[in-house]
Amino acid sequence: MTGLPESEVDVLIIGAGPAGLMLALWLSRLGVKTRIVDKRTSKVYSGQADGFQVRSLEILDSFGIAERVWKEANRMLEVAFWNPDQDGNIVRSAHAANTIPGLSRFTESVLHQGRIEQFFLDAIRDSYTSASAALRVERMVIPTSLEIDESKAEDPDAHPVTVTLRHLTEEEATPTQMLSNLNDGIFRSNLADDDVGDILDRSKGREARDEVVRAKYVVGCDGAHSWTRKTLGEEFEMKGETTDAIWGVMDIVPITDFPDIRFRTMIHSTSGALMIIPRENRIVRLYIQLKEVSAGGGRVDRSQITPDFIFKSAQKIFSPYKLEYHYCDWWTAYQIGQRTGDHFSKLNRVFLAGDAVHTHSPKAGQGMNISMQDSYNLGWKIGLACKNILPRHVLSTYELERKKIAKDLIAFDGKFSKLFTGRPAKDIQNETGVSDDEFQKAFHTSRMFTTGVGVNYQPTVFVAKESEETDNDNGLKKSIAKSTPSLATNCKLGQRFPSYKVIRQSDARLWELHHKLPSNGRFRLVVFGGDISRPSQRDSVNALGAWLSSYLPKLPTINLSPGSDPHSGSMKFKTDADPSIVEVLLVHTAPRDEVDMLRDLHETYHPFDSKLGWDYDKIFADGETMYEEPQKAYEKYGVDPGKGAVVGLRPDGYVGLVTSLDHGGQEEIQNWFDGIFQNE
Amino acid sequence: MTGLPESEVDVLIIGAGPAGLMLALWLSRLGVKTRIVDKRTSKVYSGQADGFQVRSLEILDSFGIAERVWKEANRMLEVAFWNPDQDGNIVRSAHAANTIPGLSRFTESVLHQGRIEQFFLDAIRDSYTSASAALRVERMVIPTSLEIDESKAEDPDAHPVTVTLRHLTEEEATPTQMLSNLNDGIFRSNLADDDVGDILDRSKGREARDEVVRAKYVVGCDGAHSWTRKTLGEEFEMKGETTDAIWGVMDIVPITDFPDIRFRTMIHSTSGALMIIPRENRIVRLYIQLKEVSAGGGRVDRSQITPDFIFKSAQKIFSPYKLEYHYCDWWTAYQIGQRTGDHFSKLNRVFLAGDAVHTHSPKAGQGMNISMQDSYNLGWKIGLACKNILPRHVLSTYELERKKIAKDLIAFDGKFSKLFTGRPAKDIQNETGVSDDEFQKAFHTSRMFTTGVGVNYQPTVFVAKESEETDNDNGLKKSIAKSTPSLATNCKLGQRFPSYKVIRQSDARLWELHHKLPSNGRFRLVVFGGDISRPSQRDSVNALGAWLSSYLPKLPTINLSPGSDPHSGSMKFKTDADPSIVEVLLVHTAPRDEVDMLRDLHETYHPFDSKLGWDYDKIFADGETMYEEPQKAYEKYGVDPGKGAVVGLRPDGYVGLVTSLDHGGQEEIQNWFDGIFQNE
């Protein structure tokens, strides 16, 4: 016994950056008892990560946050490529689409990290019935020890992870570096030293302010210097390459005659490479290759790196265009390198996410995105395991699914960084080097990966698909359900279900289908019913409805928290009944006026509540409206209206099953869900 | 001397409903010293007005509020008409578009009044640099006397209106009716008595809590029982028709098998008429004709009118469909009548707006809209007069412009109410009555009026157009500028400038042009420059730019408040320079890549600031993007790209001038602005 205060929690999150906050938001929406601690005194106020990839925006939209980003962020629609001409002057070689057109309703956007952290905090608060009950970030708190009671690791009701937390004073929590030089842009850069040791030193003798927390799960979202990772042991160390290349970053309001200053622009000049990221509020971020400093195999001399030095490098690259500034919002510098770990979890009780398991260079705007997507992948799995809705073994899918992304990420980043900093082919000094064509081609082929939409999860209980040639057997339990991918050719197994607009049967309103699939813990069956004005098709849909009405009640139920339906207004007058863990939506192609949804369709598609009447929000049509062009959703989803399809979705919106409307489909649905919810 | 505290203010607003709050928001954005008082203890929490017409949404969007309405509100896209068949059972005769397709980016929407009041309060607060400096509604305050010093009425610097305000206790401010029966839905209905007399009685002997306010302007937004109107004298009395027809209103969560319950629906049955207004959060509003009660030439017996009585009437009309409910959110009843006044202002020092000068029946969803649009019309005129930017005589345009709307409104309402409550033609009792065709036709012809987009202001200094045959000479000063309407055939003089999407030159982002025309007090010149890649066209545009750069500095300037550019993020790094009262925007049709906006175009179109560089937010293109279909803005605005046009806009977005790009156009621009800004 330590004599310290002790308490229990379901999940303890260490670190309140984007990865930690995404996880906290998920767990809030799922109603899981959670704490989140951070060593810093406040959230980020400027600079830092700023790129939002389209998949991240879709995910944020599933919590109702994306509209705030979308409104405030700068949208990067086109990318410009500039290269030296024969005289060594930079000239534009092309404008191209920065995001693949048609891929998503969003395009890549930029907004500083402090705003998204604020949006997360607001959304977390909105997940509770009162602000006073809401999860809050506990700042100026660091863990000092972590132990797992391995004997209880597989007990679903145990709290086998013990963490000691230390509550710091503001003085103890403020980095020495910040105290000594508030203008030092290297703070938080990968050129800065880890300061946890310092903090612990400063707080020695203050153990009376420690407390002991027993958690079911602990997640380290504590960044590149992750204390959690180091504490888990040597086998968790990240490995990879660190180059000698140093880049500077400046967020300025530029005064320039360069014509593409408000486009994302990649400049290869004879004086080095530079990338322009136009941002909100007239700010522009410049990533600037610093040719005159080098880590030289060791540590770089940080005193060399000043805003003035970085800016002079930028001016040389921009020449003959003029570049000046009056306002600088933020600056930093970093060393290029790529590292990742082999283990993302210990005993499926302690997990690592975000920069704690992969670091790389920031220019491709991937870091915050992959980090948030790590914990987006983990959140519902941990959350539903805490609620005993999912068996513990499914937690292994986290490492399986996200380690592959991390490896892909550092491979991409290594290649992209080399291409970007390579000497341009038309360099006045020689004709070797990276050609503009080669660079542009690499940019375009990487777009599917960089948008985040290319993510393709492997076969597990969650994804009923055949292994692809590149998949090794991952040793995890597989689904015994068999999908029929040809029934929905653009709903690809293991990939995110895309969003197209459909018309609500009850009131003719067009909805992005994603807006009916919010992140609230529920699995979904999207029933593509085809032309239900044809009796045979309607009969199939109703037979499926009847079967579901007897099967689904055997599955678990879940209580929805406030905020669980962020696109449909408040929860006032929402249903009070416990909903099934599986929600059923119908999308048909019949003329809307020929469908009387209450009389023609099985109640599965319009559940009844004795106080609220029927639910009018589950049936949608693909067809004509009086205001807009037909949306052709069936064509875009790749579904034949004459056959229809049933698409099964995980709570994170990834496709897990594609099957038929008929009796065979019922069997596969049962196989899929049984494999997910039943213990081994 | 009264011995009471005395103070000065530019504008005193009496009443904090939608009309008063719209005015308060305008004046906040203009930085005008304002107070707003209301006799009630709190804002509205449920029920009341709920319909948002498309023009209202466009106006709210010009302050950045519409997106909140648009997100939370229910959108009414289609309207259903139901009538008795030969057996007297109601059947659907048609589904039709509820808003004219293509008219606006918005459609009619419904959300309860309490929400929009909240959005106004939030937007007012966002107009100040700090929350503590922000204008707040002073609740539980009533005026007890109002006097105008007529000798100073025309002195622009005088505060000739003296008002005594009484600060009430909560007990004094709470209506007796509410104290006695919290569930009385008639509270705030036009069947309820005015309670100002009661309040004054209750607060007698408390004159020590009075204060005296000297104002430049006072605006009565104090509703149908307007104390301000009554105080101005008999000639301000409203006149009109009061019928014996009584209607009930219920906001319920219906439990019904009626298939169109989530559509706006007009039911004519043999048991009376009923309108369905589907609302947010599963609520549906029913307007129910109460055939069994009548005012009978006098006052109705209010004790007869209970929720149960109203609901039974609704059930009869719905038959043979079933209708039940568990939740009732609000209910009321009202007597149909139409009244308006002949005077909207006294000496252009005290004004009336909203229900204080026009009352009518609520079913067409006009009341809140016309009220907000009254004070939207008035706000910039008073505000710019207070700042000595506009001469006082322009204030006469308020009554001119809005009295016509009020007259049109009560004419429309009288006609629509009669048609709606007329016996249906196929009534089982006889074959006379209102035919469904006749009713539907009246609905469709009224849509341009009911959307608010049909508003067409008469010739004044603000609108340089020829009088139409229906316009009487209104006696107000006219503009000497001559418009050439054929140059922009869909930018109609006196009507609101429509919004279509254009592409920002600097970053390829599509913008609704309205989003670049926020309500911040500025007049605008939208220069449709045509294909500026052709030298002759570019020369015209640049010649105009050069002339504007010498003319515009002669006009007044205006400081923009926070919130003045609600669609472009925060005001951080916005220009510090005093902007001209006239903003210039350019929309061209040249291929974007062939335009270098800084080198090719006059600085008028990209103003320079020594700390912030050039402004990249004034030049737009109509053409191709990589993501969306071409928007064809020129075609929609009715502008020939070979000729171009200049469209002059008032601060409220109404078209005041259409002229040419050439030298003749410069003269008309000067004529137009000189007529507006120069005193008589």
Side-chain angles (χ1 to χ4, degrees), chain A residues 615-626:
Chain A
D615 192 329
Y616 296 96
D617 198 25
K618 309 281 191 198
I619 302 177
F620 301 85
D622 179 26
E624 310 258 322
T625 70
M626 295 178 186

PDB file of all heavy atoms in Angstrom, chain A residues 615-626:
ATOM      1  N   ASP A 615     -40.249   6.056 -36.775  1.00  0.00           N
ATOM      2  CA  ASP A 615     -39.004   6.735 -37.110  1.00  0.00           C
ATOM      3  C   ASP A 615     -38.990   6.972 -38.618  1.00  0.00           C
ATOM      4  O   ASP A 615     -39.073   6.033 -39.401  1.00  0.00           O
ATOM      5  CB  ASP A 615     -37.821   5.845 -36.680  1.00  0.00           C
ATOM      6  CG  ASP A 615     -36.506   6.593 -36.732  1.00  0.00           C
ATOM      7  OD1 ASP A 615     -36.366   7.493 -37.575  1.00  0.00           O
ATOM      8  OD2 ASP A 615     -35.614   6.268 -35.929  1.00  0.00           O
ATOM      9  N   TYR A 616     -38.894   8.230 -38.997  1.00  0.00           N
ATOM     10  CA  TYR A 616     -38.978   8.606 -40.421  1.00  0.00           C
ATOM     11  C   TYR A 616     -37.604   8.823 -41.045  1.00  0.00           C
ATOM     12  O   TYR A 616     -37.502   9.391 -42.118  1.00  0.00           O
ATOM     13  CB  TYR A 616     -39.801   9.891 -40.560  1.00  0.00           C
ATOM     14  CG  TYR A 616     -41.237   9.730 -40.130  1.00  0.00           C
ATOM     15  CD1 TYR A 616     -41.663  10.080 -38.858  1.00  0.00           C
ATOM     16  CD2 TYR A 616     -42.181   9.179 -41.013  1.00  0.00           C
ATOM     17  CE1 TYR A 616     -42.978   9.906 -38.465  1.00  0.00           C
ATOM     18  CE2 TYR A 616     -43.500   9.009 -40.639  1.00  0.00           C
ATOM     19  CZ  TYR A 616     -43.890   9.383 -39.358  1.00  0.00           C
ATOM     20  OH  TYR A 616     -45.199   9.206 -38.978  1.00  0.00           O
ATOM     21  N   ASP A 617     -36.563   8.350 -40.353  1.00  0.00           N
ATOM     22  CA  ASP A 617     -35.206   8.746 -40.734  1.00  0.00           C
ATOM     23  C   ASP A 617     -34.344   7.572 -41.183  1.00  0.00           C
ATOM     24  O   ASP A 617     -33.121   7.641 -41.117  1.00  0.00           O
ATOM     25  CB  ASP A 617     -34.574   9.441 -39.513  1.00  0.00           C
ATOM     26  CG  ASP A 617     -33.372  10.282 -39.885  1.00  0.00           C
ATOM     27  OD1 ASP A 617     -33.291  10.727 -41.043  1.00  0.00           O
ATOM     28  OD2 ASP A 617     -32.504  10.480 -39.006  1.00  0.00           O
ATOM     29  N   LYS A 618     -34.987   6.479 -41.619  1.00  0.00           N
ATOM     30  CA  LYS A 618     -34.194   5.281 -41.971  1.00  0.00           C
ATOM     31  C   LYS A 618     -34.355   4.884 -43.438  1.00  0.00           C
ATOM     32  O   LYS A 618     -33.691   3.953 -43.884  1.00  0.00           O
ATOM     33  CB  LYS A 618     -34.660   4.087 -41.114  1.00  0.00           C
ATOM     34  CG  LYS A 618     -34.721   4.334 -39.621  1.00  0.00           C
ATOM     35  CD  LYS A 618     -33.371   4.254 -38.988  1.00  0.00           C
ATOM     36  CE  LYS A 618     -33.512   4.239 -37.471  1.00  0.00           C
ATOM     37  NZ  LYS A 618     -32.242   4.594 -36.825  1.00  0.00           N
ATOM     38  N   ILE A 619     -35.273   5.525 -44.150  1.00  0.00           N
ATOM     39  CA  ILE A 619     -35.550   5.099 -45.524  1.00  0.00           C
ATOM     40  C   ILE A 619     -35.212   6.232 -46.491  1.00  0.00           C
ATOM     41  O   ILE A 619     -35.666   7.372 -46.317  1.00  0.00           O
ATOM     42  CB  ILE A 619     -37.033   4.698 -45.684  1.00  0.00           C
ATOM     43  CG1 ILE A 619     -37.363   3.571 -44.699  1.00  0.00           C
ATOM     44  CG2 ILE A 619     -37.324   4.261 -47.129  1.00  0.00           C
ATOM     45  CD1 ILE A 619     -38.815   3.150 -44.710  1.00  0.00           C
ATOM     46  N   PHE A 620     -34.432   5.897 -47.493  1.00  0.00           N
ATOM     47  CA  PHE A 620     -33.928   6.890 -48.440  1.00  0.00           C
ATOM     48  C   PHE A 620     -34.128   6.390 -49.867  1.00  0.00           C
ATOM     49  O   PHE A 620     -34.246   5.184 -50.100  1.00  0.00           O
ATOM     50  CB  PHE A 620     -32.446   7.169 -48.167  1.00  0.00           C
ATOM     51  CG  PHE A 620     -32.217   7.683 -46.776  1.00  0.00           C
ATOM     52  CD1 PHE A 620     -32.064   6.799 -45.703  1.00  0.00           C
ATOM     53  CD2 PHE A 620     -32.221   9.043 -46.520  1.00  0.00           C
ATOM     54  CE1 PHE A 620     -31.898   7.267 -44.407  1.00  0.00           C
ATOM     55  CE2 PHE A 620     -32.061   9.521 -45.223  1.00  0.00           C
ATOM     56  CZ  PHE A 620     -31.905   8.627 -44.169  1.00  0.00           C
ATOM     57  N   ALA A 621     -34.180   7.321 -50.795  1.00  0.00           N
ATOM     58  CA  ALA A 621     -34.375   6.955 -52.195  1.00  0.00           C
ATOM     59  C   ALA A 621     -33.242   7.531 -53.035  1.00  0.00           C
ATOM     60  O   ALA A 621     -32.647   8.555 -52.688  1.00  0.00           O
ATOM     61  CB  ALA A 621     -35.716   7.480 -52.693  1.00  0.00           C
ATOM     62  N   ASP A 622     -32.948   6.842 -54.110  1.00  0.00           N
ATOM     63  CA  ASP A 622     -32.044   7.372 -55.140  1.00  0.00           C
ATOM     64  C   ASP A 622     -32.937   7.714 -56.320  1.00  0.00           C
ATOM     65  O   ASP A 622     -33.508   6.813 -56.933  1.00  0.00           O
ATOM     66  CB  ASP A 622     -31.020   6.295 -55.516  1.00  0.00           C
ATOM     67  CG  ASP A 622     -30.062   6.781 -56.602  1.00  0.00           C
ATOM     68  OD1 ASP A 622     -29.856   8.007 -56.706  1.00  0.00           O
ATOM     69  OD2 ASP A 622     -29.523   5.937 -57.333  1.00  0.00           O
ATOM     70  N   GLY A 623     -33.106   8.979 -56.600  1.00  0.00           N
ATOM     71  CA  GLY A 623     -34.028   9.332 -57.680  1.00  0.00           C
ATOM     72  C   GLY A 623     -34.072  10.827 -57.901  1.00  0.00           C
ATOM     73  O   GLY A 623     -33.067  11.519 -57.753  1.00  0.00           O
ATOM     74  N   GLU A 624     -35.228  11.323 -58.230  1.00  0.00           N
ATOM     75  CA  GLU A 624     -35.400  12.728 -58.618  1.00  0.00           C
ATOM     76  C   GLU A 624     -35.824  13.585 -57.421  1.00  0.00           C
ATOM     77  O   GLU A 624     -36.585  13.133 -56.564  1.00  0.00           O
ATOM     78  CB  GLU A 624     -36.537  12.840 -59.643  1.00  0.00           C
ATOM     79  CG  GLU A 624     -36.441  11.881 -60.800  1.00  0.00           C
ATOM     80  CD  GLU A 624     -35.927  12.570 -62.039  1.00  0.00           C
ATOM     81  OE1 GLU A 624     -36.312  13.738 -62.251  1.00  0.00           O
ATOM     82  OE2 GLU A 624     -35.129  11.956 -62.772  1.00  0.00           O
ATOM     83  N   THR A 625     -35.368  14.830 -57.407  1.00  0.00           N
ATOM     84  CA  THR A 625     -35.939  15.818 -56.495  1.00  0.00           C
ATOM     85  C   THR A 625     -36.380  17.009 -57.338  1.00  0.00           C
ATOM     86  O   THR A 625     -36.054  17.093 -58.518  1.00  0.00           O
ATOM     87  CB  THR A 625     -34.933  16.338 -55.454  1.00  0.00           C
ATOM     88  OG1 THR A 625     -33.959  17.155 -56.124  1.00  0.00           O
ATOM     89  CG2 THR A 625     -34.240  15.203 -54.728  1.00  0.00           C
ATOM     90  N   MET A 626     -37.083  17.913 -56.718  1.00  0.00           N
ATOM     91  CA  MET A 626     -37.562  19.076 -57.452  1.00  0.00           C
ATOM     92  C   MET A 626     -36.522  20.176 -57.538  1.00  0.00           C
ATOM     93  O   MET A 626     -36.739  21.182 -58.206  1.00  0.00           O
ATOM     94  CB  MET A 626     -38.832  19.617 -56.792  1.00  0.00           C
ATOM     95  CG  MET A 626     -39.976  18.606 -56.889  1.00  0.00           C
ATOM     96  SD  MET A 626     -41.484  19.165 -56.093  1.00  0.00           S
ATOM     97  CE  MET A 626     -42.510  17.674 -56.264  1.00  0.00           C
TER      98      MET A 626
END
